[in-house]
């Protein structure tokens, strides 16, 4: 699942992405395009669709 999420996030135009799944939570380390709320929604939608996790279980960490 981690590799699938990484591939889908990169397909949306984000250059780098690393995903970890632990204890029914997901962390996504990503270099965002604009650091906007829209980026978070796109990434959360991908993760939720692949894992079934709710948005409150998905943490997005922007990498510089």
């Amino acid at each position: 699942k981690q590799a699938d999420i990484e591939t889908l996030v990169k397909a949306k135009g984000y250059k780098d992405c690393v995903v970890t799944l632990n204890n029914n939570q997901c962390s996504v380390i990503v270099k965002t395009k604009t650091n906007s709320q829209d980026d978070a929604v796109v990434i959360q939608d991908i993760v939720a669709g692949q894992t079934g996790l709710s948005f409150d279980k998905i943490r997005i960490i922007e990498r510089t």
Side-chain angles (χ1 to χ4, degrees), residues 2 10 18 38 41 52 56 62:
Q2 289 169 297
K10 289 177 185 176
V18 177
D38 292 338
V41 171
D56 66 321
E62 183 188 11

Side-chain angles (χ1 to χ4, degrees), residues 30-50:
V30 65
K31 183 168 178 97
T32 58
K33 295 184 245 181
T34 60
N35 192 24
S36 72
Q37 189 66 24
D38 292 338
D39 290 322
V41 171
V42 168
I43 294 166
Q44 286 176 324
D45 282 343
I46 291 169
V47 174
Q50 293 295 306

Side-chain angles (χ1 to χ4, degrees), residues 1-8 19 21 50-52:
K1 287 186 180 182
Q2 289 169 297
D4 290 343
I5 294 167
E6 290 170 359
T7 299
L8 290 169
V19 175
L21 290 167
Q50 293 295 306
T51 63

